[in-house]
Amino acid sequence: MDKSLFRFIWRHSRRQQIILLVLTVVTYPLGFLLYDIPKAIINRAIGGDGPPFSAPILGLELSFDMAQIPFLVMLCFAFLAVVLLNNGLKYVINVYKGTLAEQLLRRMRYQLYARVLRFPLPHFKRVSQGELISMITGEAEQVGNFTAGAFADPALLGGQWLVALGFILIQDPLLGAAALALYPIQIIVIPRLQKRVSQLAKARLREVRALSDHIGESVAGAVEVHAHDTSQYELSRFTHRMGRIYAIRLEIFRRKYMIKFLNNFMDKLAPFFFYLIGGVLVVQGNLTLGALVVVISAHKDMAGPWKELLGWYQQREDARVKYEQVVSQFSPENMIDPALQSAEPEDEAGLSGEIQLDNVTLVDEDEVRRLANVGFNAPLSGHVAVVGHANSNKEYLALVLARLAVATQGRVRIGGKNLADLPEAVTGRRIAYVGQNTVLQSSSVRDNLLYGLKHRPMRPATYSEEEAVARVAELAAAVRTGNSDYDYGADWVDLAAVEAADEAALFEYLVGALDVVDLGDDVYQLGLRSTIDPTARPDIADNVLRARGALLERLRDESYAALVEPFDRTRYNSNASVAENLMFGNPVGNGFDVERLAENSYVLQVLRDADLYDELLEMGRKLAGTMIEIFADLPPGHEFFEQYSFISSDDLPLYQAVVARAERGVEELSDEDKTMLLSLPFKLIPAQHRLGLADDKTFQERVLKAREKFEADLPAELRGSVEFFDREKYNSSASLQDNILFGKVAYGQAQAAQAIGALITKTLDEHGLRGSVMLAGLDFQVGVGGSRLSSVQRQKLAIARAVLKRPDLLVLNDAAAGMDAQSQQRLLSRVLAARDGVGVVWVLSNASLADEFGQIVVMAEGRIVEKGSLGDLKKEGTAFDDLLKSQMT
């Protein structure tokens, strides 16, 4: 990036800046006319003699043979025309400036983000995520807002100021001198004060970035804060930082307001001279009254541009400081050559031959030697295990092999090709790397699996006519601002890389990769728990309905019938809550939120019409009394409250008071008390809670009548707030498993949930429908950084992604360290079997897992101390044998 802000602006917007300057210059004569015409109106049209009348416009004496009123009207309309033309031109300038500012800001952000992608990996240890985000978003925007007016604003404001000054000088040089008298003071004093403000602004920026880092640390380390009771320490540290920012900002305010005070004082001092000198000149007849009035007006107009010029100067300093600091932060040493990121390989043959390390030494950013004269050869078709103690630096060998760290000395070659010279189009496609801590994209399981296959757009997107026009405009804007011209909406997945003929084949490869890492069942379960939009995925919805029909047929078997109580519009479901039985559907949104159902006016009306209101209120009183009797003596936070109680430990005292007041009769209770009691029975499930409160057949029949009324009278505005159960329709608010089940698992049946789960799986497999559930599982959103998955699932997903893209060399840097020994062994065996005859280098924390590798490399203190086959190294007295023994003790 350009080191100078103005060089960056001029390089990327030279033509636009010239256009702005030309438009700005056009405003100068219009600005002069805005003073000249009012003077002519006062002196000639109102106070002049005629006809004929004359008016000096732009130095030309124009004569008009007309009456006084028409002459006055003509000049007034001429003034109005100039006003409209001047403001219209300013509107064009401002819109053009705004567009240019956004273009330059977009270019700047793109360049900054592109540089982030070129940072050497060690640099990320020195810079925080929050700092980079703040600079690309907040600080870059402040700089971008300045860029469009970098040349045009001083030209426009300075021009306006000079036009007003020139008009005053033409009227009387003495008045012009008076207007100029105080400006030299401002020109000398203000920049000096502003220089100190700029220095303080730099200090404030550094402190704000440090504060951002502190907040980021607190968010990332929230567990540590709570675990070590350091919240008060962190609050004190935060207070200290805020105090430093406060002191700096206070000093900035003092100096800024001193600048403002001086400007205002100078601005108000000049009229004193105008009234004094100009008044004398008018009295003496050396200046017309109209000229004095317009001179005073012109001087007022000088104040505005001057203040804005000073503001521009301040903004320029702020923008310059921010730009220089941003550029310095985004220019670390040893950045990746941009050509290595953009170049395409000359041939598609891939990598083959031998891995060769010749005296490789790696010194990190702290000048610590991590690898020392490492050298070994291995066939790219073989499997190599790298082992060593925790301080052996074996992980750095994996980084060098993946070209994620570049050797300080020596060479790494594969098939005779120097790894350091290969573009990322080769290393990123033909080599796969998985480390210990995987960060996933905030998208679906599918997108994360396919991430390693998205190098360039492979197939164009299909657009409607309107979308195609928008895409053309988007592409033009991207090219104009130096952004990528690749279409994000295109299909980026390289099917050829996995030898997939179409999407169906790709799906099989995805499932296969998941099975290699033993993640298939996890994704299957995610799919069962997922919800889908049946309009977007009608194929999955149709298959779920098929599975539902097949399962309901199986449930007719006596051995399964008691495990599930299916939904039936004409029957009360004892394994469902009162609320579910009343609505016979799932709430959508907050309209019929079960927690607030007792406050819903429509529900209350339905209950009253069905003669259920009083009965449910009494049921709520009994339920509250029972809960108080059972749980009153338990300590707050006891697990039974969550498992069995309708009332939380915090709310128990409130209900005790309500029950006490209800002894006088529930009809005497307040509306708030009634709402509290009425909210309880909605959660009651007869088969689960067995309290004898909702088992009465008469009560259940009234609920069924209320159900009919609830659906029949449901207002149009509430119809979208509930999705009713319908055997022939897919329920988009329920999970796939609940849609297939279409009922409730019976309470009290031993292992009912497990048996039904197995039955659902068997039904799906027999009807070839498991793939539909896997499709839904692949669409599961993993959350920010994969936070909705466990750490083991994240690691397995990362390994599956690496396996999927079929690299010539797979580098696993202790990627399974977070798993138990049995899981590591199973995963290792599956991956090596899937990579039979294809290169694998696996850094292992447990040397006993190296049995299945053809070659073993033993490291100590950044050096290779032994290498060979298992038979060569598993002998008494070898470093490998010593390592095995030390890890067993």
Side-chain angles (χ1 to χ4, degrees):
M1 291 183 70
D2 293 291
K3 300 293 184 182
S4 165
L5 172 60
F6 280 88
R7 189 177 297 119
F8 168 82
I9 296 170
W10 188 249
R11 179 193 299 273
H12 298 296
S13 64
R14 181 185 302 109
R15 176 175 168 272
Q16 293 92 331
Q17 296 291 349
I18 291 173
I19 291 173
L20 278 172
L21 287 172
V22 170
L23 292 174
T24 298
V25 171
V26 173
T27 64
Y28 294 171
L30 295 176
F32 192 87
L33 284 173
L34 291 176
Y35 301 124
D36 220 13
I37 294 176
K39 174 187 172 184
I41 290 173
I42 295 173
N43 289 340
R44 303 297 178 91
I46 297 175
D49 296 325
F53 291 93
S54 62
I57 304 297
L58 294 177
L60 300 175
E61 191 72 27
L62 303 179
S63 180
F64 300 92
D65 189 11
M66 59 178 65
Q68 186 173 14
I69 298 300
F71 180 59
L72 174 63
V73 171
M74 182 193 71
L75 288 180
C76 288
F77 273 98
F79 177 75
L80 180 61
V82 173
V83 169
L84 290 174
L85 185 59
N86 189 54
N87 285 310
L89 193 56
K90 286 183 178 179
Y91 169 78
V92 171
I93 291 173
N94 287 330
V95 171
Y96 197 83
K97 280 172 51 183
T99 304
L100 178 58
E102 285 303 312
Q103 290 174 354
L104 288 170
L105 174 60
R106 178 174 175 175
R107 181 184 293 273
M108 187 188 307
R109 281 178 170 160
Y110 181 84
Q111 290 186 2
L112 293 175
Y113 181 70
R115 294 178 82 83
V116 170
L117 299 183
R118 291 170 47 212
F119 282 178
L121 290 184
H123 183 67
F124 288 102
K125 299 177 183 178
R126 296 172 174 262
V127 63
S128 73
Q129 176 181 338
E131 185 177 354
L132 293 177
I133 293 171
S134 173
M135 285 188 282
I136 293 177
T137 55
E139 294 175 30
E141 181 158 0
Q142 295 174 33
V143 175
N145 290 338
F146 168 79
T147 54
F151 298 98
D153 280 357
L156 176 64
L157 298 171
Q160 291 174 347
W161 185 83
L162 288 172
V163 166
L165 177 63
F167 181 83
I168 295 173
L169 286 169
I170 290 172
Q171 309 311 309
D172 189 277
L174 190 59
L175 290 177
L180 277 173
L182 300 175
Y183 283 102
I185 300 175
Q186 292 174 283
I187 292 172
I188 295 171
V189 174
I190 300 301
R192 292 186 177 180
L193 292 174
Q194 183 59 50
K195 183 177 181 180
R196 178 54 183 162
V197 171
S198 298
Q199 292 171 346
L200 290 168
K202 285 184 179 181
R204 183 191 66 84
L205 199 56
R206 288 192 295 269
E207 292 298 332
V208 168
R209 286 178 183 167
L211 180 66
S212 176
D213 290 346
H214 181 197
I215 295 172
E217 287 177 5
S218 299
V219 172
V223 172
E224 304 301 322
V225 173
H226 294 301
H228 298 290
D229 185 29
T230 56
S231 58
Q232 296 306 315
Y233 172 76
E234 293 298 339
L235 286 170
S236 177
R237 186 155 71 113
F238 187 83
T239 300
H240 174 67
R241 293 194 183 281
M242 291 296 292
R244 294 172 66 173
I245 293 173
Y246 173 80
I248 293 172
R249 289 181 66 89
L250 198 62
E251 184 66 18
I252 289 174
F253 289 150
R254 287 172 179 162
R255 293 182 178 273
K256 276 189 174 181
Y257 288 129
M258 175 56 70
I259 293 172
K260 189 173 182 180
F261 165 77
L262 289 174
N263 281 330
N264 288 335
F265 176 73
M266 303 286 185
D267 183 44
K268 295 298 183 288
L269 191 59
F272 164 78
F273 294 108
F274 285 133
Y275 294 134
L276 178 61
I277 300 172
V280 171
L281 292 174
V282 170
V283 171
Q284 293 176 346
N286 295 324
L287 184 70
T288 64
L289 179 61
L292 178 60
V293 171
V294 178
V295 162
I296 293 174
S297 176
H299 179 264
K300 287 183 179 179
D301 290 343
M302 286 176 65
W306 179 254
K307 285 183 179 178
E308 291 187 47
L309 267 175
L310 293 176
W312 173 87
Y313 177 79
Q314 180 177 332
Q315 188 182 10
R316 189 201 73 169
E317 287 301 299
D318 289 344
R320 182 184 61 80
V321 168
K322 287 185 172 66
Y323 181 83
E324 291 175 357
Q325 289 198 344
V326 167
V327 169
S328 67
Q329 289 289 336
F330 281 76
S331 302
E333 295 181 357
N334 302 318
M335 288 183 67
I336 298 172
D337 186 343
L340 293 180
Q341 287 189 325
S342 58
E344 284 293 312
E346 296 178 359
D347 61 75
E348 301 291 337
L351 301 175
S352 60
E354 266 196 336
I355 302 172
Q356 299 171 287
L357 276 76
D358 302 324
N359 295 318
V360 171
T361 296
L362 177 66
V363 178
D364 69 9
E365 67 280 5
D366 295 320
E367 300 299 323
V368 177
R369 189 171 63 178
R370 299 299 184 180
L371 298 177
N373 302 317
V374 171
F376 79 91
N377 294 0
L380 192 56
S381 59
H383 297 166
V384 180
V386 181
V387 298
H389 289 292
N391 62 350
S392 65
N393 289 339
K394 58 185 182 293
E395 65 274 15
Y396 288 94
L397 179 59
L399 292 171
V400 167
L401 284 171
R403 226 274 299 275
L404 296 175
V406 179
T408 309
Q409 295 177 7
R411 290 188 302 175
V412 181
R413 292 180 293 171
I414 298 181
K417 299 177 180 178
N418 190 344
L419 209 60
D421 298 332
L422 294 177
E424 284 192 354
V426 174
T427 59
R429 300 176 197 181
R430 309 316 309 171
I431 300 175
Y433 172 88
V434 184
Q436 290 188 36
N437 301 307
T438 295
V439 177
L440 300 179
Q441 300 285 310
S442 181
S443 56
S444 66
V445 172
R446 174 195 294 274
D447 287 338
N448 276 283
L449 279 171
L450 295 176
Y451 188 70
L453 300 177
K454 297 179 178 181
H455 314 298
R456 301 290 188 274
M458 305 305 297
R459 290 162 295 282
T462 301
Y463 292 119
S464 65
E465 185 176 344
E466 183 179 347
E467 290 171 337
V469 172
R471 171 57 192 160
V472 170
E474 179 186 352
L475 176 61
V479 172
R480 190 163 50 246
T481 55
N483 285 202
S484 170
D485 58 357
Y486 288 138
D487 184 3
Y488 178 70
D491 188 348
W492 286 66
V493 179
D494 187 358
L495 295 177
V498 292
E499 300 178 2
D502 51 29
E503 287 292 330
L506 179 63
F507 171 72
E508 296 299 326
Y509 286 125
L510 292 174
V511 173
L514 292 172
D515 288 339
V516 167
V517 299
D518 203 18
L519 196 60
D521 286 341
D522 291 36
V523 174
Y524 170 76
Q525 292 298 329
L526 292 175
L528 283 177
R529 298 198 300 269
S530 296
T531 60
I532 64 163
D533 180 357
T535 59
R537 299 304 303 263
D539 54 332
I540 297 180
D542 290 343
N543 286 336
V544 167
L545 292 178
R546 285 176 54 201
R548 176 190 294 177
L551 183 67
L552 289 176
E553 281 298 319
R554 284 182 176 275
L555 291 176
R556 296 178 185 273
D557 189 322
E558 291 185 1
S559 58
Y560 296 119
L563 298 179
V564 176
E565 185 174 5
F567 291 128
D568 187 333
R569 189 175 295 276
T570 63
R571 296 180 56 191
Y572 190 95
N573 193 312
S574 297
N575 289 281
S577 68
V578 171
E580 290 172 309
N581 273 284
L582 174 64
M583 291 187 290
F584 197 66
N586 290 329
V588 178
N590 297 322
F592 291 108
D593 181 13
V594 175
E595 295 295 330
R596 307 191 65 178
L597 212 57
E599 303 172 25
N600 189 292
S601 58
Y602 175 70
V603 171
L604 295 178
Q605 186 59 50
V606 169
L607 295 179
R608 289 188 175 95
D609 292 344
D611 295 328
L612 278 171
Y613 180 84
D614 292 336
E615 187 170 356
L616 282 175
L617 193 60
E618 179 61 23
M619 190 181 295
R621 185 189 68 79
K622 293 180 180 179
L623 195 54
T626 301
M627 293 299 103
I628 292 168
E629 182 180 347
I630 295 174
F631 296 101
D633 296 331
L634 291 180
H638 195 282
E639 61 182 11
F640 282 3
F641 278 102
E642 183 177 351
Q643 295 179 12
Y644 304 111
S645 179
F646 292 80
I647 304 170
S648 68
S649 57
D650 292 336
D651 291 338
L652 197 63
L654 298 176
Y655 277 94
Q656 287 175 322
V658 172
V659 170
R661 289 192 290 270
E663 291 179 357
R664 300 190 298 269
V666 293
E667 64 278 355
E668 300 296 327
L669 294 175
S670 66
D671 290 341
E672 184 178 353
D673 288 348
K674 290 179 180 179
T675 298
M676 289 179 63
L677 293 179
L678 197 61
S679 66
L680 299 179
F682 282 122
K683 307 170 189 175
L684 185 63
I685 302 173
Q688 177 187 3
H689 298 117
R690 302 182 181 278
L691 296 173
L693 294 178
D695 301 337
D696 182 66
K697 293 297 181 183
T698 303
F699 168 77
Q700 294 180 359
E701 288 174 2
R702 281 202 290 271
V703 171
L704 292 177
K705 290 182 180 179
R707 174 191 296 176
E708 294 177 4
K709 186 171 183 60
F710 178 87
E711 182 176 0
D713 297 343
L714 190 64
E717 63 271 16
L718 291 177
R719 291 205 170 271
S721 298
V722 61
E723 189 164 5
F724 296 108
F725 298 133
D726 187 331
R727 181 169 176 172
E728 305 302 323
K729 292 182 180 180
Y730 184 90
N731 192 309
S732 61
S733 62
S735 68
L736 264 67
Q737 179 167 284
D738 287 344
N739 267 283
I740 295 171
L741 190 60
F742 196 69
K744 289 289 185 178
V745 176
Y747 290 98
Q749 298 292 326
Q751 304 297 318
Q754 292 84 341
I756 289 300
L759 185 60
I760 289 175
T761 299
K762 183 178 180 181
T763 302
L764 290 168
D765 289 341
E766 288 180 356
H767 290 78
L769 301 177
R770 185 184 178 93
S772 294
V773 179
M774 290 298 292
L775 282 172
L778 288 170
D779 288 336
F780 178 81
Q781 297 296 312
V782 302
V784 177
S787 57
R788 297 182 68 191
L789 302 179
S790 69
S791 59
V792 171
Q793 287 175 327
R794 289 196 296 272
Q795 287 303 112
K796 286 183 175 181
L797 185 56
I799 298 172
R801 174 170 63 196
V803 169
L804 177 67
K805 74 176 189 177
R806 299 186 176 184
D808 298 320
L809 174 62
L810 173 60
V811 180
L812 296 160
N813 197 349
D814 221 359
M819 306 175 196
D820 60 75
Q822 186 177 1
S823 297
Q824 286 190 52
Q825 183 65 65
R826 185 169 61 250
L827 174 67
L828 184 147
S829 298
R830 285 172 173 261
V831 171
L832 293 183
R835 298 280 298 173
D836 186 28
V838 191
V840 175
V841 175
W842 201 318
V843 175
L844 298 170
S845 57
N846 186 352
S848 64
L849 296 173
D851 291 0
E852 298 186 40
F853 290 84
Q855 183 173 352
I856 300 172
V857 174
V858 184
M859 296 192 65
E861 297 182 350
R863 300 176 183 273
I864 293 179
V865 294
E866 279 183 352
K867 56 188 174 183
S869 66
L870 181 67
D872 295 334
L873 301 183
K874 201 171 184 179
K875 298 177 180 178
E876 186 71 28
T878 63
F880 180 71
D881 187 60
D882 292 342
L883 179 63
L884 282 174
K885 290 176 179 177
S886 67
Q887 291 183 343
M888 292 174 62
T889 57

